[in-house]
Amino acid sequence: MGLRRWRHNPLRRATDLAEAWLALGALLLILVAAPLLGLLVGQVAEDALQQSVREQREQRHPVAATVVRKVDFAPLDPDPETATGQDSRSRVLARWTAPDGTSRRGTAMADLESPRPGEHFTVWTDGQGRIVGRPLDTATAATHAVLAGFGTAVACAGVIEGSRRLLVWRMVRRRYDRWDRAWSRVGPDWGRTGTGS
């Protein structure tokens, strides 16, 4: 439909040509600018997330912990990324040796279905021996970066298309206003013979 407006037509209005140029410009921006912006945001996010992965691997250490006893209550997990529908982790009272050599004791989530005293499992701790979450892995970081880039590209395309539609709507409104003024000048009896027109 938009290409038909490019032809030389005596009925073509200036706004028709403007709409066609606007559509072409928006299409080019969606095809070129949106993917480039998405790629840029994805690369920046990838760099930041991979730096976070490196820092977490330096600061977090896997430590072998021993089950002392099972804890009866299991409060909600504060990290929604670690919870799954098939989560078979149990809350236990455990003891472990911190990276600095001190002995620690506290509640932890064990990846054991029915933990018994004396069983071993792995926990992640910081330099002081406090239990922390598992460090982010590179695949998850890359997935988050790809999603950030894709989301940015889609949002950019949406903003471009929304702006184009808003501009076209304003052009159509102005066109209708001009038509209303022209009809009011002609008057209600524009088609009757002998009215002086």
Side-chain angles (χ1 to χ4, degrees):
M1 289 296 288
L3 295 177
R4 199 169 31 163
R5 294 181 181 163
W6 290 87
R7 295 188 317 219
H8 295 289
N9 186 335
L11 298 177
R12 184 189 72 202
R13 298 170 296 226
T15 57
D16 294 334
L17 189 59
E19 282 182 42
W21 278 109
L22 187 62
L24 179 64
L27 178 66
L28 289 175
L29 282 174
I30 288 172
L31 293 177
V32 176
L36 285 177
L37 185 61
L39 183 65
L40 178 68
V41 168
Q43 287 176 343
V44 169
E46 173 78 13
D47 292 343
L49 288 170
Q50 292 302 335
Q51 177 64 29
S52 178
V53 166
R54 287 189 292 276
E55 289 173 2
Q56 287 182 10
R57 285 189 177 166
E58 290 173 6
Q59 298 168 356
R60 298 178 184 189
H61 313 281
V63 174
T66 305
V67 175
V68 175
R69 67 178 166 83
K70 185 175 179 179
V71 178
D72 292 332
F73 65 91
L76 295 174
D77 192 1
D79 187 5
E81 288 187 7
T82 61
T84 64
Q86 302 167 341
D87 202 359
S88 61
R89 297 172 10 145
S90 304
R91 193 164 182 84
V92 297
L93 180 63
R95 66 176 182 274
W96 63 93
T97 303
D100 62 2
T102 60
S103 179
R104 299 287 179 155
R105 185 180 175 124
T107 56
M109 295 300 288
D111 53 357
L112 306 168
E113 282 190 37
S114 56
R116 291 185 294 274
E119 284 189 286
H120 299 285
F121 63 99
T122 303
V123 294
W124 288 86
T125 64
D126 61 7
Q128 290 77 35
R130 293 183 298 248
I131 293 180
V132 293
R134 175 185 298 271
L136 186 66
D137 62 349
T138 55
T140 303
T143 301
H144 285 285
V146 167
L147 290 174
F150 182 74
T152 300
V154 169
C156 181
V159 166
I160 292 168
E161 177 60 16
S163 300
R164 183 196 70 82
R165 287 177 183 245
L166 179 66
L167 289 172
V168 168
W169 177 78
R170 291 186 70 186
M171 290 167 65
V172 168
R173 290 300 315 154
R174 279 194 217 129
R175 184 183 310 149
Y176 287 161
D177 289 342
R178 285 194 303 267
W179 284 352
D180 287 342
R181 285 193 300 272
W183 276 109
S184 66
R185 282 194 308 265
V186 171
D189 54 1
W190 62 273
R192 297 187 189 147
T193 58
T195 58
S197 59

